[in-house]
Amino acid sequence: NVKSKCRWNEEMGMAEVIEKNGKMWVSTGIVRSGKIHTSIEETLYLMELGALHLVDNENGSISLIEMYEKVAGGKYGCCWELFEAYRYLKSLGYIIGRHHVAWSLKSIRSSQKPDALDGTEVSEQLVDIGSKVEVSISKLFGELKINDLKPDFDIYLPDSRFRKSSPGDPNFLLYLSRGHLPSRAEIESLEKQCEGIPLKVCQVTEGRVSFFSFDKVELPALP
């Protein structure tokens, strides 16, 4: 019954949570320095639900129409078709994050092998990791080209035990096809980036969201 409040950062293409209400923050937004930041698709989705009030730097309200225009412009690593895919999966309860964007720095720390770090080297390496992650986020949320051949989202099945500090591997990765289904060479390139995690290809046509997956099949030799 009480909306959360976020402040939009035009340069980053993200929103910073100012007032947090509701349980959706368990699986929404990335955590940095104790603050939650939401991508443009997360921000718009929550606004559509009526769960989020978005303001600018002068505390002026930002409308849904303004956010629709930002998404339609294809900025910040998101486009309208990608948002429709995000909205569809979120409505089904899936947990969705940008591909290769850590939910929190704690999740990076937990993935490091303890025997590989010791003493002051721990803090030094984590600071280095953290700075690299911040640079990655800046690129993914502010400079990413929509047509880059890489998975778009990490998808997790609905799970009440999900934690940003230890999310585990996604159940599958999602790639939005841009106008046509990917070629065999493109699929093989995408699968190499998946590191064994299943890949699904999404296509959005006139508001209809479709999903595809590909298996390798050995055809029998004909006599």
Side-chain angles (χ1 to χ4, degrees), residues 146-160:
I146 293 299
N147 293 324
D148 285 351
L149 186 65
K150 59 179 290 298
D152 295 291
F153 290 132
D154 294 343
I155 312 294
Y156 299 78
L157 297 179
D159 186 356
S160 60

Side-chain angles (χ1 to χ4, degrees), residues 96-211:
I96 308 174
R98 285 281 183 97
H99 179 60
H100 270 176
V101 175
W103 293 91
S104 72
L105 293 184
K106 288 183 179 179
S107 64
I108 299 177
R109 294 168 190 167
S110 63
S111 67
Q112 301 301 303
K113 296 181 180 180
D115 56 356
L117 304 171
D118 69 284
T120 57
E121 185 182 356
V122 175
S123 58
E124 291 175 358
Q125 290 200 24
L126 289 179
V127 168
D128 183 55
I129 291 169
S131 63
K132 290 180 180 179
V133 170
E134 294 298 339
V135 170
S136 174
I137 291 170
S138 298
K139 290 182 178 179
L140 286 170
F141 285 81
E143 304 172 1
L144 179 67
K145 296 179 180 178
I146 293 299
N147 293 324
D148 285 351
L149 186 65
K150 59 179 290 298
D152 295 291
F153 290 132
D154 294 343
I155 312 294
Y156 299 78
L157 297 179
D159 186 356
S160 60
R161 297 171 297 176
F162 178 85
R163 296 292 181 270
K164 293 178 183 178
S165 59
S166 55
D169 290 333
N171 292 91
F172 63 91
L173 304 184
L174 187 72
Y175 169 75
L176 175 71
S177 65
R178 276 65 171 176
H180 61 86
L181 289 176
S183 65
R184 175 178 175 177
E186 289 174 329
I187 292 172
E188 291 176 346
S189 175
L190 286 165
E191 288 181 336
K192 288 179 181 178
Q193 301 176 55
C194 293
E195 299 177 345
I197 299 174
L199 171 71
K200 293 189 183 297
V201 176
C202 175
Q203 190 169 40
V204 179
T205 307
E206 297 181 353
R208 185 179 64 183
V209 183
S210 304
F211 300 92

Side-chain angles (χ1 to χ4, degrees), residues 8-76:
W8 181 251
N9 185 320
E10 184 66 24
E11 182 180 354
M12 292 291 293
M14 301 172 66
E16 178 185 328
V17 179
I18 303 171
E19 298 176 10
K20 183 177 67 173
N21 294 293
K23 297 180 179 180
M24 68 269 194
W25 298 111
V26 173
S27 57
T28 302
I30 60 174
V31 180
R32 295 294 184 275
S33 302
K35 298 180 180 179
I36 300 176
H37 302 271
T38 58
S39 64
I40 190 170
E41 63 271 11
E42 292 173 320
T43 303
L44 180 53
Y45 179 73
L46 292 177
M47 290 177 70
E48 285 190 333
L49 293 180
L52 181 67
H53 177 55
L54 187 65
V55 298
D56 56 25
N57 290 329
E58 285 73 40
N59 285 325
S61 296
I62 297 178
S63 67
L64 265 174
I65 293 178
E66 291 178 85
M67 292 304 292
Y68 286 143
E69 291 174 347
K70 292 181 187 296
V71 172
K75 299 177 66 177
Y76 316 118

